[in-house]
Amino acid sequence: MLLGKPSDISSSEITPRDDYFRYLSRRRFLKGMAATGAAALGADRLAQFAVPQAVHAETRLQTVKSPLTTTGEQLTSYYDITHYNNFYEFGVDKSDPAKNAGGLPTRPWTVKVEGKVAKPLTFDIDDLLKLRPLEDRVYRHRCVEAWSMVIPWVGYSLSEFIKQCNPLPSAKYVQFLSYFNPKVEKWSYEDATIYWPYSEGLRMDEAMNPLTLLTFGLYGETLPNQDGAPVRIVLPWKYGFKSAKSIVKVRFLSKQPRTTWNDQAPNEYGFYANVNPNVDHPRWSQKTERRIGQPFYAQRRTTLMFNGYSDQVAYLYKGMDLRRDF
Ligand SMILES: Nc1nc2c(c(=O)[nH]1)N[C@H]1C(S)=C(S)[C@@H](COP(=O)(O)O)O[C@H]1N2
Ligand SMILES: [Mo]
C-alpha cells in the first residue's frame, strides 16, 4: 500500500530530483508510521493516504550527471511514468502493467549475448550495473500512439556494453529479446498472433549512437517492473515501441531481425520508426502529441522531427527516404 495522497503525486507537479526524494522519504516515513504508531494519528487521518498500489520496492542507485541529458522540460510525475505503461506481456490496458508485473522475477537475471560475436557471453545484471558509471539522463519519450512523457532515466550508453561484447565486422544489426514466460505473463496469450518474445532491433550504427541508453532505472532508482526491470533499452528519437523492456538476450546479426510490431503490422510500424511529424500513422496524425499529466484541456504539443534529437541522430539517415518510416 502506498502512503501518499494522490494529490501529492499529481501529474502536473514539478518533480525535480531533490523534490522527488524529499517526497519519497516522506512517503517512507509515513509507511513507518503506519507500521508502528499509526493508531496515534487516527485511522481516519491515515485513510486519506491509502491508494491501492504495490509496496514501493525500488532501490536507490548511485548516479552521475550526464552531458547527454535533455534540459528545459518539466518531468512527468513518477506516478504517471509507472502507471501509464505499454507492456503487452502484462496486459493491453495502460494500467495493466502496474497491476500485473509484480511477479516478474528480476533476480537472478542474466543477459545472454550471441550471434556475430567473438564468443557468446552471459552477463549478470549486478555486473552490468557496475560496468560503467550510471548516468541520470532525462529524455523525451514519444509513443507511436501520439502521447509523450519526459522521463529521467538512469543508465549508460549501450555502446559501452557493445564494446564488451566484441561484435564481429559481420555484425550489422542488434536484436533485443524481452523476458518471455507465459506462466508469469499470462496476459501475453490475450493476443496469440503477436510475435513473442517481444523483439526489437537496431542497425549497428544506431545502437552505437551515444543517445542509445542501456537503462537500469528512473528517478534515481531501479526500474519498477512495469517499466522494464531490471534492464531495458531506451531510444529517445524513435517511437516508444523500439525501446524493448526486460531484456534477456542481445543478438548480433548480419541481417535485419524480425521485430514484434513491424511483424504485426508492417504498414503501421516500421523497423526504423523514427519520430517524424511528417509521416502520419495510417490511422492517426503524428503532427501533435498529448503530454501525459497535462490537464485534458491543455493544448497538444507539436511533435518534433526525431523527437527533437536531430542534431545527435539525423546523420544516421542521410540519403534515406523517410517518407514511409512509421
Ligand atoms: N517487452 C516489451 N517492451 C516494450 C513494450 C511491450 O509491450 N513489451 N511496449 C513498448 C512501447 S509501445 C512503449 S511506448 C514503451 C513504454 O515504456 P514505459 O511504459 O516505460 O513508458 O515500452 C516499449 N517496450
Ligand atoms: Mo508505444
Side-chain angles (χ1 to χ4, degrees):
M1 181 170 72
L2 169 106
L3 294 161
K5 280 185 295 183
S7 61
D8 278 351
I9 42 185
S10 92
S11 330
S12 54
E13 79 180 341
I14 303 171
T15 47
R17 192 187 154 118
D18 289 350
D19 282 357
Y20 170 68
F21 284 112
R22 224 171 287 135
Y23 152 68
L24 257 195
S25 56
R26 191 174 142 250
R27 203 169 68 173
R28 277 176 190 143
F29 166 73
L30 287 166
K31 209 185 274 180
M33 293 282 288
T36 57
L41 260 179
D44 54 328
R45 284 209 46 210
L46 271 179
Q48 67 177 324
F49 296 118
V51 291
Q53 194 202 24
V55 169
H56 185 84
E58 274 46 75
T59 55
R60 183 77 192 268
L61 294 166
Q62 189 93 39
T63 60
V64 298
K65 284 193 170 148
S66 173
L68 296 172
T69 202
T70 302
T71 55
E73 293 275 11
Q74 180 179 316
L75 301 183
T76 302
S77 76
Y78 185 81
Y79 188 86
D80 282 340
I81 296 170
T82 57
H83 289 80
Y84 189 93
N85 301 101
N86 276 331
F87 201 166
Y88 270 45
E89 290 90 323
F90 293 105
V92 297
D93 289 337
K94 297 288 181 274
S95 56
D96 284 340
K99 283 187 237 155
N100 299 335
L104 180 73
T106 57
R107 286 296 186 290
W109 188 278
T110 57
V111 177
K112 288 198 159 60
V113 175
E114 54 181 49
K116 307 282 180 200
V117 282
K119 70 169 187 344
L121 297 167
T122 301
F123 291 87
D124 188 86
I125 185 66
D126 293 307
D127 296 328
L128 283 181
L129 277 159
K130 284 178 257 166
L131 196 67
R132 298 290 304 153
L134 297 172
E135 300 170 25
D136 286 305
R137 285 214 204 156
V138 174
Y139 282 159
R140 283 179 289 273
H141 173 84
R142 171 60 156 83
C143 177
V144 74
E145 299 159 343
W147 54 264
S148 66
M149 296 188 186
V150 180
I151 307 182
W153 300 110
V154 176
Y156 49 77
S157 295
L158 178 73
S159 62
E160 302 286 353
F161 170 75
I162 291 180
K163 283 180 210 157
Q164 306 287 318
C165 298
N166 298 312
L168 302 173
S170 55
K172 304 291 181 213
Y173 292 89
V174 196
Q175 182 183 28
F176 308 96
L177 294 163
S178 296
Y179 177 87
F180 184 60
N181 179 349
K183 284 199 189 110
V184 175
E185 300 158 320
K186 313 192 225 337
W187 303 269
S188 59
Y189 280 136
E190 274 182 12
D191 194 338
T193 63
I194 287 183
Y195 181 73
W196 302 113
Y198 196 93
S199 160
E200 259 311 329
L202 296 169
R203 220 170 51 196
M204 196 64 169
D205 56 350
E206 299 180 297
M208 292 301 287
N209 185 279
L211 281 189
T212 305
L213 193 69
L214 192 63
T215 307
F216 302 90
L218 63 85
Y219 265 114
E221 296 189 322
T222 52
L223 286 170
N225 289 357
Q226 61 266 36
D227 289 280
V231 60
R232 69 177 295 176
I233 206 86
V234 171
L235 296 142
W237 74 95
K238 290 179 179 284
Y239 292 122
F241 67 85
K242 296 297 295 179
S243 299
K245 295 177 167 182
S246 305
I247 293 165
V248 292
K249 202 172 275 184
V250 177
R251 282 191 191 136
F252 291 89
L253 303 166
S254 57
K255 292 199 182 81
Q256 188 178 306
R258 274 176 85 175
T259 54
T260 293
W261 286 106
N262 184 231
D263 210 70
Q264 182 80 356
N267 59 324
E268 300 194 353
Y269 310 106
F271 175 79
Y272 285 94
N274 294 307
V275 175
N276 186 344
N278 307 316
V279 178
D280 286 341
H281 184 279
R283 291 182 281 135
W284 57 82
S285 165
Q286 294 290 28
K287 285 185 177 53
T288 63
E289 62 200 50
R290 183 168 69 92
R291 183 60 58 85
I292 300 301
Q294 299 298 298
F296 72 91
Y297 51 82
Q299 225 187 343
R300 293 173 69 87
R301 285 165 184 261
T302 303
T303 292
L304 304 171
M305 188 65 199
F306 296 115
N307 204 19
Y309 297 100
S310 293
D311 288 354
Q312 291 94 325
V313 301
Y315 75 93
L316 292 164
Y317 311 102
K318 275 224 177 77
M320 251 181 80
D321 184 358
L322 295 175
R323 280 172 305 180
R324 277 195 58 80
D325 182 29
F326 299 111

